[in-house]
Amino acid sequence: MNFNSGAFLIFLPVVVLVYWFLPARFRWVWLLSASYFFYMYWNPALVVLLLLTTAVSYGSALAMMRWPRLKRALLVLTLLVCLGVLIYFKYANFLLQSVLHVVNGAAGGEWSFTIDVLLPVGISFYTFQTLSYVIDVYRGDFPAERHFGYYALFVVFFPQLVAGPIENPRNLLPQLRREGRWDREDFRAGGRLLLCGFFRKCVVADTCGVFVNRVFASPEAANGLAILCAGALFCLQMYNDFAGYSEIAAGSARLMGIRLTRNFDRPYLSQSYTEFFRRWHISLNQWFTQYVYIPLGGSRKGLGRKLLNTVIVFSLCGLWHGAKWTYLLWGLYAAFWVCLESLLKRPARRMAEHRNIDLADPVVKLVRRMGAFAVFIPAALLFRADSVGQAGVLLGRLFTAWSFAGGQIADCFALLQMGGLELLFLALCIVTMSRLSLWGQYDLPRAPSPDASARRTAAAACLVTAVALCWLSLLATQDAAGFAYFQF
């Protein structure tokens, strides 16, 4: 079930109302049932994989507590089953086609074979969430949950099931067990987060997506400026799409008194690629840090090992997003910049001190942020490209298809099909987006005065109107899109 669908607009109020009217001891049953309905709404058959992953991880964790000597074997078993399911359904065709490509190239053959398999929605998210639980139990960081119902709810909790955030058991499980009480502030915060999330998705992300799709439909006809604009717009589209989902998820959970992990922290204010990944998809990056980077040795075994571990983590992070070479290249591109920043961090600071450059100066910060955003654009093109060939065309034209003979700007706007009204609307979206970072805080302080409260109410009314109009407009033109991260 998509968050930006009419079905969800009926589903969520019903779930929340019944949740608060039920006695506390029955609420987990209702949430569990609603969460399975939410997942099965798309394809009921795929719930079998979700139940398998849940049962294996639950049983392994309990067995670890009962038979400590078998902990390592049980961990390996869980990894084999959970990652095996993920690899088969998400990467089997990718691996098979890659092998056949090498074989055909070496033998001059034309063999082809494809496995007819459907990618389950959210499989990467719930697999990583169950693995974090089992690994924490294995390490002794968290006790095994004995109640199967509460554990199943931890895995399938509908707000964050299909696109995160990837919750740590230490944060979510105790909240699911706690007897919550209705709180007006939670309800206000939940409504505010929902509104901000829908605005990001329906108004900003889907609007940017319309222009991006036009350039990617015919990249060979695009000049450098058009591709630069498409890359910048795709950066905004992906951020608002995924941050919008995260805010809707957090808002939905908050209506029931449950606080999810913050997943984004204004990433495009980053002054470096390294800082960007501390602010972007925080739960995924923390997962890779805790369960891959640190076990590999982190930065404890010298600079060379640190750089190698960084490359491994970002390569896996790229492939986590999808079974395409472009995602792997995106991960390697990110690893290159993070490694380069690790190497140049100290020399750059010494040079700044030598030349009396204040890195805290607002102008210096602005320049660094603009530079970091410029570096993000080729990464965005890699991420959005359908193939390595298309990525090559896009990057090639980005750096070569420029002309100073005139007509560059006109050709760019013609391909984007963007007129003055569309440009003004996009500018208003971006300005509003900057305010959402403040208004969409998980815990917003109380309004200091009645006037401030009235301004917030007026802003909420404007956001509601904008979401409704843009959603209906996109539906009418068939440009409304599902959340991009559902495919991961």
Side-chain angles (χ1 to χ4, degrees):
M1 188 183 296
N2 255 322
F3 279 176
N4 60 333
S5 66
F8 183 75
L9 297 181
I10 299 171
F11 171 83
L12 180 62
V14 170
V15 171
V16 173
L17 285 172
V18 174
Y19 176 84
W20 286 116
F21 275 111
L22 280 174
R25 64 180 182 277
F26 297 128
R27 287 174 185 166
W28 71 268
V29 180
W30 170 246
L31 270 188
L32 184 63
S33 304
S35 296
Y36 276 120
F37 174 82
F38 176 87
Y39 191 78
M40 295 169 67
Y41 186 85
W42 176 62
N43 190 326
L46 293 177
V47 76
V48 174
L49 298 176
L50 185 58
L51 289 169
L52 173 64
T53 302
T54 304
V56 170
S57 55
Y58 170 78
S60 294
L62 279 182
M64 287 178 185
M65 301 290 286
R66 186 179 180 92
W67 298 291
R69 294 180 180 178
L70 299 177
K71 285 172 64 174
R72 186 179 295 274
L74 290 164
L75 176 63
V76 171
L77 174 64
T78 307
L79 292 173
L80 287 174
V81 173
C82 295
L83 291 179
V85 170
L86 175 63
I87 290 169
Y88 176 77
F89 281 91
K90 189 168 184 175
Y91 302 101
N93 278 316
F94 170 70
L95 295 171
L96 184 60
Q97 296 305 318
S98 299
V99 170
L100 287 176
H101 181 75
V102 173
V103 172
N104 288 335
E110 295 183 359
W111 294 303
S112 64
F113 184 76
T114 303
I115 302 172
D116 186 14
V117 61
L118 183 65
L119 177 63
V121 171
I123 188 170
S124 299
F125 287 94
Y126 69 70
T127 298
F128 272 33
Q129 185 154 311
T130 54
L131 289 180
S132 67
Y133 165 77
V134 174
I135 294 171
D136 281 358
V137 172
Y138 170 79
R139 293 174 173 176
D141 295 335
F142 191 81
E145 174 57 58
R146 298 184 180 278
H147 193 294
F148 181 76
Y150 282 118
Y151 177 70
L153 181 56
F154 162 74
V155 177
V156 79
F157 185 50
F158 77 87
Q160 49 83 226
L161 171 61
V162 294
I166 302 169
E167 284 294 340
N168 189 292
R170 283 165 284 184
N171 176 53
L172 185 55
L173 259 171
Q175 293 190 77
L176 297 176
R177 294 192 66 102
R178 189 174 63 232
E179 182 180 328
R181 295 182 179 180
W182 189 85
D183 182 88
R184 180 179 296 178
E185 289 305 314
D186 279 340
F187 219 75
R188 284 178 177 173
R192 179 168 43 78
L193 288 167
L194 282 166
L195 189 52
C196 289
F198 278 118
F199 185 89
R200 285 189 186 279
K201 169 60 181 172
C202 298
V203 181
V204 184
D206 283 357
T207 300
C208 290
V210 170
F211 300 118
V212 170
N213 292 340
R214 290 167 182 167
V215 174
F216 277 82
S218 54
E220 298 84 359
N223 58 33
L225 181 60
I227 291 174
L228 180 67
C229 291
L233 288 171
F234 183 67
C235 287
L236 296 179
Q237 179 192 356
M238 282 305 295
Y239 168 52
N240 285 282
D241 187 284
F242 194 22
Y245 176 92
S246 296
E247 287 177 350
I248 295 171
S252 301
R254 193 70 176 271
L255 293 177
M256 295 172 282
I258 297 169
R259 295 171 177 248
L260 297 182
T261 302
R262 186 182 180 94
N263 220 14
F264 288 87
D265 184 16
R266 298 174 292 174
Y268 291 133
L269 293 181
S270 302
Q271 300 177 52
S272 67
Y273 228 114
T274 305
E275 183 185 358
F276 175 79
F277 281 102
R278 294 194 190 106
R279 293 169 173 263
W280 175 278
H281 202 170
I282 297 169
S283 63
L284 178 66
N285 292 316
Q286 288 179 344
W287 195 97
F288 274 111
T289 300
Q290 292 174 18
Y291 302 113
V292 180
Y293 181 74
I294 292 175
L296 286 173
S299 58
R300 304 187 306 274
K301 297 185 178 182
L303 180 60
R305 184 65 177 271
K306 175 186 176 181
L307 298 179
L308 175 62
N309 293 341
T310 300
V311 172
I312 292 172
V313 166
F314 277 101
S315 298
L316 292 174
C317 184
L319 287 173
W320 177 89
H321 284 87
K324 289 199 302 186
W325 287 108
T326 49
Y327 290 129
L328 177 59
L329 292 174
W330 172 83
L332 292 172
Y333 179 86
F336 168 78
W337 285 103
V338 172
C339 289
L340 185 64
E341 288 170 2
S342 295
L343 293 171
L344 298 180
K345 186 176 181 178
R346 290 182 180 177
R349 282 184 176 177
R350 286 197 295 266
M351 185 183 73
E353 291 174 1
H354 179 70
R355 296 179 178 272
N356 295 320
I357 299 174
D358 183 7
L359 297 178
D361 184 88
V363 176
V364 175
K365 284 185 176 181
L366 177 62
V367 171
R368 293 183 66 188
R369 285 168 178 162
M370 292 173 64
F373 189 78
V375 172
F376 299 152
I377 290 176
L381 298 175
L382 278 171
F383 197 90
R384 175 62 174 77
D386 295 326
S387 65
V388 175
Q390 188 185 59
V393 171
L394 289 162
L395 293 171
R397 296 193 68 78
L398 173 65
F399 292 107
T400 61
W402 294 84
S403 172
F404 298 98
Q408 185 95 359
I409 297 177
D411 291 343
C412 169
F413 280 95
L415 183 61
L416 291 168
Q417 298 177 37
M418 185 186 292
L421 187 61
E422 290 85 357
L423 186 61
L424 176 62
F425 179 73
L426 197 59
L428 288 173
C429 285
I430 294 171
V431 171
T432 307
M433 192 181 78
S434 66
R435 299 300 302 169
L436 287 182
S437 299
L438 301 175
W439 208 59
Q441 295 177 60
Y442 280 30
D443 290 293
L444 187 68
R446 284 178 173 271
S449 66
D451 288 344
S453 179
R455 287 195 296 270
R456 287 183 182 179
T457 303
C462 291
L463 290 180
V464 169
T465 304
V467 169
L469 291 176
C470 286
W471 189 47
L472 292 173
S473 173
L474 290 165
L475 286 175
T477 58
Q478 298 183 342
D479 284 322
F483 287 85
Y485 262 69
F486 274 26
Q487 64 186 299
F488 305 137

